Each structure stands twice: as C-alpha cells, then as structure tokens.
Amino acid sequence: DAKTTQPNSMESNEEEPVHLPCNHSTISGTDYIHWYRQLPSQGPEYVIHGLTSNVNNRMASLAIAEDRKSSTLILHRATLRDAAVYYCILRGGDLNYGGSQGNLIFGKGTKLSVKP
Amino acid sequence: EAQVTQNPRYLITVTGKKLTVTCSQNMNHEYMSWYRQDPGLGLRQIYYSMNVEVTDKGDVPEGYKVSRKEKRNFPLILESPSPNQTSLYFCASRDTGSNQPQHFGDGTRLSIL
C-alpha cells in the first residue's frame, strides 16, 4: 500500500475552519483516499473518501490535488467534539474487495486539538 | 441504529485463561475484521472474514483464533492469553463493494496479568 504523511498534531480554535493535510506522493491511479477519525475512547469512525474530484458530506469536505499527490480534509467549523486523531489512508480500488482489501493501514495520524 | 457491538468493553484476566471477545453487527455486512491498537504501533489487523465460514489471517494473527458461523457474529478467541496480548481491540464490519466504509465497535480493553 502507498504511504501517507501527516503532521503529528494541529491546533484549532472552536468555530474556525480546519485544514488537515495529507501527502501521498506514491499514490497509484486506482487508490482511493480515505479519512477516518478516532475520538478519545472510541473506535475509528469513517469521515469521507474520494478518488479524484473534491467530495463533500455532512461531516467534512475533501479537497484532492490535481496530481493526487496530496489531499486536505476540511472541517468547516471545528467544534470541541472534533478533537480526535485523523487518519488519511490510501486504499486500493480493487473492486473484488477480497483478500486483505478490507484491511485499512492506519498510520499515526494527526492529533487535532480544538480550543474553546 | 446501525452498529458494531463488542463485549466485554473491559476485561482483566490472567495468563492462560481462555477468553472470548464477542462482536456482533446488525448491518448484514459480509466483511468483518479484528484489529488491535497499541501505543506507537497504531491499529493492526488480526483476522478478517469475507463471509460465513471464510476467515483469513491479517498482519498479527499469532495467539488468536476466530470463527464465523453466522453472518452477524465474529468472535475473537484467545485460547491461552499472554501478557503481550494486553491491548485495545476493535471489531469492524463493512458492506461489499469497492471502498465501502468500515464501521468500528467501541473497543475492548484487555489486560492479561
């Protein structure tokens, strides 16, 4: 699996936007970019994923660079509840999903702190 | 509510005493898996299952067993637990199809003395 690089930690103020970067310079053409987050004392939680185009959902937006070597998770208005470790993960687009395709390779992620 | 339920949430036990951590999902997902999370090592997959009676090893399967007799359940079995299996364990499930998101349980913290 291609590797991702994220800052170890970031800080934000409540109600301000947060941009969480991820570099993935060795991404292949079929790799999807997934983001998960893990709140304290909870299991990881799916946030968003995309392939080439920018994506929006109720939780966040995902901006993908044109060359796909980097992406940014955008939280439009951070709340205290958004304080978590955010993981950027590349996942192969093998459509059979079988074998270890379901295995998400979690790196260290970015620990986001949100200040009131 | 769609969820993955693990039990127990916490367990302290002794070396060699067999234990089972149960995992159940109510989303009719075919794919289920177990992860362990350790400081500095992140989440690592132990075993996964693509369907009933189909299981396979993940990255760190030693010392663990699993079974998948029903679609909704995927228990993790430690036949003879050892202190190096003290960890935080997560069960996950997902639907078939490319890039379906994984749903995780809230975790089971095991301490093996």
Side-chain angles (χ1 to χ4, degrees), chain A residues 43-94:
Chain A
E45 174 187 31
Y46 167 80
V47 178
I48 200 166
H49 78 275
L51 182 63
T52 56
S53 304
N54 294 345
V55 184
N56 300 297
N57 66 21
R58 65 173 179 81
M59 289 180 71
S61 295
L62 177 60
I64 301 172
E66 200 166 325
D67 63 5
R68 299 208 330 123
K69 294 187 177 182
S70 66
S71 60
T72 303
L73 179 71
I74 302 165
L75 307 179
H76 295 286
R77 280 179 78 234
T79 68
L80 297 177
R81 196 191 173 279
D82 290 322
V85 178
Y86 286 79
Y87 299 98
C88 170
I89 301 167
L90 300 185
R91 183 148 157 224
D94 185 307

